[in-house]
Amino acid sequence: MTELRKRGPSSKLVKAFQAKKAVKEANTHNGNSVHNKLGNLLKIVMFVIVVPPMLNYAGLQKEREFIMADLTLYDIGFGQKMFFNCSGSGKPTVILDAPTGMTSDSWVLGQSELAKLTRVCVYDRAGLGFSEAPPKLNISDPGEGAVARTLGKEGTAMRMVNDLHRIVTFSFPQERPFVLVGSELGGLVARMYAHLHPQDIDHLVMIDPISETLFDDVNNKNDLEKTENPWISYWFGHLLLSFRLLQVSAMSGLSRLGLLTGLMTSPLTTLN
């Protein structure tokens, strides 16, 4: 009995303990390996998500500084500046107003061709392209309140008409009468401008113009099914979404990457 008590642990117990220890170490090693892999994967994902947009933003700022160095913005009042550019010579002057959500870039080809015949001007509506967003006027201030009531609310067609009129009348006067060309929303602005300032207009050209009643309720007492205005669902369900996605794509650098790799093509064709 004395000899049995003095004996150390049996070989079976030692082996079982060693096996258990080995399994524990293996599990720890596997856990650390999985953790390391997940950590590395997270770093890669963060690098892909964060770094390209930061580099793209820096590139956009440099490009903006380079382009803005050769541009002239015109103050139309209350510190708001807008982009207006003319080329060519001759009469009458032609002013081009861009489609919905687009800038004066959409007229690059048209301006180049028309400038061979006469003077052609393009501009960016407030908040688009190089034009600054309309300022928030203080309604409680007598001066600004009167101007706000006269000009109309920001982002309305009436305000866009007044912006254009102030440019061609005070900031960068253009010889009257001129030809006003507008596409889509630009067509609505052009028509309203011709209505408010007919003495300024020689000819009015509207390309796929939209109507001021575009978002009105189309239901009437004879419409038993209460048909919904199809333009509302198209505008909010498709058009605005596509514009937002393009903005996010440009901001994140995906558009730049797509253009560099050939997966995307620029809508503007290089002139020969």
Side-chain angles (χ1 to χ4, degrees):
M1 292 292 295
T2 305
E3 289 183 2
L4 289 174
R5 288 173 183 169
K6 289 183 178 180
R7 285 181 184 178
S10 68
S11 59
K12 291 183 178 181
L13 291 176
V14 172
K15 289 180 179 179
F17 176 77
Q18 291 176 345
K20 185 176 180 181
K21 184 178 180 182
V23 170
K24 185 177 180 180
E25 291 177 352
N27 290 336
T28 302
H29 176 74
N30 291 335
N32 291 337
S33 178
V34 172
H35 184 269
N36 291 336
K37 289 180 179 179
L38 290 176
N40 292 334
L41 180 61
L42 183 61
K43 291 178 182 178
I44 294 173
V45 171
M46 290 297 293
F47 180 84
V48 171
I49 293 176
V50 175
V51 174
M54 292 178 62
L55 295 176
N56 183 66
Y57 178 78
L60 289 174
Q61 293 303 308
K62 288 292 184 181
E63 291 168 1
R64 180 177 178 83
E65 292 176 3
F66 177 78
I67 295 174
M68 292 293 290
D70 296 326
L71 291 183
T72 301
L73 300 182
Y74 297 91
D75 193 331
I76 63 171
F78 291 95
Q80 181 184 357
K81 296 182 179 181
M82 295 184 65
F83 171 71
F84 196 92
N85 172 263
C86 298
S87 60
S89 60
K91 297 180 181 179
T93 296
V94 178
I95 300 178
L96 306 175
D97 203 336
T100 309
M102 297 187 183
T103 67
S104 56
D105 286 346
S106 59
W107 293 115
V108 166
L109 300 179
Q111 183 182 20
S112 177
E113 290 298 315
L114 289 173
K116 299 175 183 178
L117 305 174
T118 188
R119 177 178 173 83
V120 187
C121 302
V122 296
Y123 79 106
D124 290 331
R125 291 190 294 271
L128 294 174
F130 298 109
S131 291
E132 297 176 353
K136 297 286 186 180
L137 299 177
N138 185 7
I139 302 298
S140 60
D141 181 88
E144 291 191 15
V147 173
R149 288 187 289 272
T150 301
L151 296 181
K153 188 177 180 180
E154 300 88 353
T156 61
M158 181 62 70
R159 184 64 171 268
M160 297 173 192
V161 169
N162 285 316
D163 287 346
L164 178 58
H165 185 253
R166 282 186 289 167
I167 294 177
V168 299
T169 304
F170 305 110
S171 306
F172 191 10
Q174 300 300 313
E175 186 175 352
R176 268 77 161 178
F178 46 74
V179 177
L180 189 54
V181 181
S183 176
E184 297 180 4
L185 178 57
L188 173 60
V189 174
R191 183 170 63 80
M192 292 187 66
Y193 188 103
H195 178 73
L196 294 173
H197 309 284
Q199 70 281 359
D200 289 357
I201 304 300
D202 187 1
H203 285 82
L204 176 65
V205 181
M206 296 184 292
I207 305 170
D208 297 330
I210 62 176
S211 169
E212 61 270 26
T213 61
L214 192 63
F215 295 104
D216 287 357
D217 189 359
V218 297
N219 295 336
N220 57 66
K221 62 181 181 181
N222 296 322
D223 185 10
L224 300 179
E225 296 182 358
K226 301 298 181 182
T227 306
E228 182 184 353
N229 186 341
W231 177 255
I232 295 178
S233 58
Y234 173 72
W235 177 271
F236 291 102
H238 173 73
L239 202 59
L240 281 183
L241 178 61
S242 64
F243 284 151
R244 294 300 184 192
L245 289 176
L246 286 174
Q247 289 177 328
V248 172
S249 176
M251 179 184 66
S252 62
L254 293 177
S255 296
R256 185 189 298 269
L257 183 62
L259 291 171
L260 292 174
T261 57
L263 296 176
M264 293 180 63
T265 57
S266 173
L268 300 179
T269 305
T270 304
L271 292 173
N272 294 324

